[in-house]
Amino acid sequence: MLKGKTGLILGVANKRSIAWHIARAADHHGAKIVLTYQNERLLRGLERILEQLSEPPLLLQCDVTDEGQMDAVFASIRDQVGHLDFLVHGLAFSKREELEGPFHDTTLENWQIAMQVSAYSFSALVRRAVPLMEGRSGSFLTLTYLGAERVIPHYNVMGAAKAALEASVRYLSADVGPRGHRVNAISAGPIKTLAASGVKGFGQMLEVVAERSALKRNLGADEIGDAAVFFLSDLSRAVTGEVMFVDCGYHAMGI
Ligand code: NAP
C-alpha cells in the first residue's frame, strides 16, 4: 500500500507510542521511514525497538519548540533522502499537574507550551515539509481526541489545544490542497501511553469506553496504525480536511 513512499513520523517515545504503531504499520506496508526523537535520553530506548522495522530508519533529533532543530530535520531529509510523501504528527504536551483540577486554573505558561507543541507545531512542520513534496501527492496526518469537542474530565488545556489542532487541519488542507496534498486527523480513543498516563483518571476512561462504545471494547494502538495506512496511502486520495474517529464507535453514542 505504501511501496515507494517515504514518510517522516514524529512522536515515538517508546513501544507504546501511537506514532510507533503507525511507524510499524507503514513499514509493514512498504514505506521508508524517517523518525525523530526529542532528546538523547529517549534515543537509547528507541534503539531497542527499531530492530522491529524491516530496515533501519533515518533517525533525527527534533524538539518542536526549537525552530532551528525543525529546520535541521528538513535539511537532513533533503540531503539524505531528497523528498517526502507523508508526515505523521504524533506530538502533544501539557504539564501533568494541569491535567487535573478546573480548566480555568490553566496557567498562561502551560497554555502557551501546550498550544505550541500540540497544535502550532503541526503547521510549522507542514510549512517545512511542502517543498520536499513537490510533484507528489503528499499526506499529512495528526492525532487528536474527542476532548476537542466535548468536555472530558481533566483533559483541560489539551481540549483547547486539540480544538486548535482540528481547526488547523481544515485551514492547512485549503493551503496545500492546490498542490495535491491532503491534511487529515485521526481522533483516537484512549490508549495507555506515556502521554495518556498524565491525564488524571485515565484508567476510568478506559473502563467507560469498554462499557459504552458501540463495539463494547477498548482500542488497540495497532488499530490506529492500520487506519493511518489508509490516510498515508493513495486510497484516501480524495479525503482531506477530515477528522476521523478511530474509537470503537464511542463518539457516536448518546447515553
Ligand atoms: P506518547 O507516546 O507519550 O507520545 C507523545 C510524544 O510527544 C512523545 O514522543 C513526546 O516526547 C512528544 N513530545 C512532547 N513534547 C515534545 C516536543 N517539544 N518536541 C518533540 N516531541 C515532543 O503518547 P501518545 O498517546 O502516543 O500521543 C501521541 C498523540 O496521540 C498525541 O498527540 C496525543 O494527544 C494523541 N492521542 C492520544 C490518545 C491516547 O489515549 N493515548 C488518544 C487520542 C489522541 P517526550 O516523551 O520526550 O515528551
Side-chain angles (χ1 to χ4, degrees), residues 12 18 53 71 119 128 157 166:
V12 179
I18 294 174
L53 298 178
D71 289 340
R128 289 168 168 88
V157 70
E166 292 184 11

PDB file of all heavy atoms in Angstrom, residues 12 18 53 71 119 128 157 166:
ATOM      1  N   VAL A  12       7.524   9.257  18.451  1.00  0.00           N
ATOM      2  CA  VAL A  12       7.797   7.947  19.034  1.00  0.00           C
ATOM      3  C   VAL A  12       8.632   8.150  20.297  1.00  0.00           C
ATOM      4  O   VAL A  12       9.784   8.572  20.229  1.00  0.00           O
ATOM      5  CB  VAL A  12       8.547   7.020  18.054  1.00  0.00           C
ATOM      6  CG1 VAL A  12       8.836   5.671  18.723  1.00  0.00           C
ATOM      7  CG2 VAL A  12       7.743   6.818  16.780  1.00  0.00           C
ATOM      8  N   ILE A  18       1.607   5.852  20.050  1.00  0.00           N
ATOM      9  CA  ILE A  18       0.759   5.672  18.865  1.00  0.00           C
ATOM     10  C   ILE A  18       1.607   5.850  17.602  1.00  0.00           C
ATOM     11  O   ILE A  18       1.467   5.095  16.639  1.00  0.00           O
ATOM     12  CB  ILE A  18      -0.425   6.668  18.902  1.00  0.00           C
ATOM     13  CG1 ILE A  18      -1.359   6.319  20.081  1.00  0.00           C
ATOM     14  CG2 ILE A  18      -1.185   6.648  17.588  1.00  0.00           C
ATOM     15  CD1 ILE A  18      -2.490   7.309  20.319  1.00  0.00           C
ATOM     16  N   LEU A  53      11.718  -2.888  12.762  1.00  0.00           N
ATOM     17  CA  LEU A  53      11.416  -2.378  11.414  1.00  0.00           C
ATOM     18  C   LEU A  53      12.234  -3.156  10.383  1.00  0.00           C
ATOM     19  O   LEU A  53      13.310  -3.675  10.694  1.00  0.00           O
ATOM     20  CB  LEU A  53      11.739  -0.884  11.327  1.00  0.00           C
ATOM     21  CG  LEU A  53      10.923   0.024  12.263  1.00  0.00           C
ATOM     22  CD1 LEU A  53      11.363   1.474  12.120  1.00  0.00           C
ATOM     23  CD2 LEU A  53       9.424  -0.105  12.010  1.00  0.00           C
ATOM     24  N   ASP A  71      14.233  23.149  11.376  1.00  0.00           N
ATOM     25  CA  ASP A  71      14.899  23.450  10.096  1.00  0.00           C
ATOM     26  C   ASP A  71      15.930  22.370   9.769  1.00  0.00           C
ATOM     27  O   ASP A  71      16.025  21.905   8.632  1.00  0.00           O
ATOM     28  CB  ASP A  71      15.621  24.811  10.177  1.00  0.00           C
ATOM     29  CG  ASP A  71      14.646  25.977  10.199  1.00  0.00           C
ATOM     30  OD1 ASP A  71      13.484  25.799   9.772  1.00  0.00           O
ATOM     31  OD2 ASP A  71      15.047  27.068  10.656  1.00  0.00           O
ATOM     32  N   ALA A 119      -0.405  21.963  18.933  1.00  0.00           N
ATOM     33  CA  ALA A 119      -1.167  22.481  17.784  1.00  0.00           C
ATOM     34  C   ALA A 119      -0.265  23.238  16.802  1.00  0.00           C
ATOM     35  O   ALA A 119      -0.131  22.844  15.645  1.00  0.00           O
ATOM     36  CB  ALA A 119      -2.292  23.388  18.280  1.00  0.00           C
ATOM     37  N   ARG A 128       7.380  23.403   6.465  1.00  0.00           N
ATOM     38  CA  ARG A 128       8.727  22.963   6.103  1.00  0.00           C
ATOM     39  C   ARG A 128       8.719  21.733   5.198  1.00  0.00           C
ATOM     40  O   ARG A 128       9.667  21.510   4.438  1.00  0.00           O
ATOM     41  CB  ARG A 128       9.525  22.655   7.374  1.00  0.00           C
ATOM     42  CG  ARG A 128       9.904  23.907   8.160  1.00  0.00           C
ATOM     43  CD  ARG A 128      10.418  23.543   9.540  1.00  0.00           C
ATOM     44  NE  ARG A 128      11.043  24.657  10.226  1.00  0.00           N
ATOM     45  CZ  ARG A 128      10.390  25.536  10.996  1.00  0.00           C
ATOM     46  NH1 ARG A 128       9.073  25.431  11.145  1.00  0.00           N
ATOM     47  NH2 ARG A 128      11.042  26.511  11.591  1.00  0.00           N
ATOM     48  N   VAL A 157      -6.566  21.872  29.290  1.00  0.00           N
ATOM     49  CA  VAL A 157      -5.927  22.658  28.234  1.00  0.00           C
ATOM     50  C   VAL A 157      -5.703  21.826  26.966  1.00  0.00           C
ATOM     51  O   VAL A 157      -5.685  22.356  25.856  1.00  0.00           O
ATOM     52  CB  VAL A 157      -4.586  23.270  28.723  1.00  0.00           C
ATOM     53  CG1 VAL A 157      -3.524  22.193  28.926  1.00  0.00           C
ATOM     54  CG2 VAL A 157      -4.089  24.336  27.779  1.00  0.00           C
ATOM     55  N   GLU A 166      -7.488  20.686  15.347  1.00  0.00           N
ATOM     56  CA  GLU A 166      -8.501  20.249  14.371  1.00  0.00           C
ATOM     57  C   GLU A 166      -8.856  21.387  13.407  1.00  0.00           C
ATOM     58  O   GLU A 166      -9.057  21.153  12.208  1.00  0.00           O
ATOM     59  CB  GLU A 166      -9.740  19.705  15.094  1.00  0.00           C
ATOM     60  CG  GLU A 166      -9.425  18.390  15.816  1.00  0.00           C
ATOM     61  CD  GLU A 166     -10.636  17.740  16.488  1.00  0.00           C
ATOM     62  OE1 GLU A 166     -11.785  18.170  16.249  1.00  0.00           O
ATOM     63  OE2 GLU A 166     -10.420  16.793  17.264  1.00  0.00           O
TER      64      GLU A 166
END
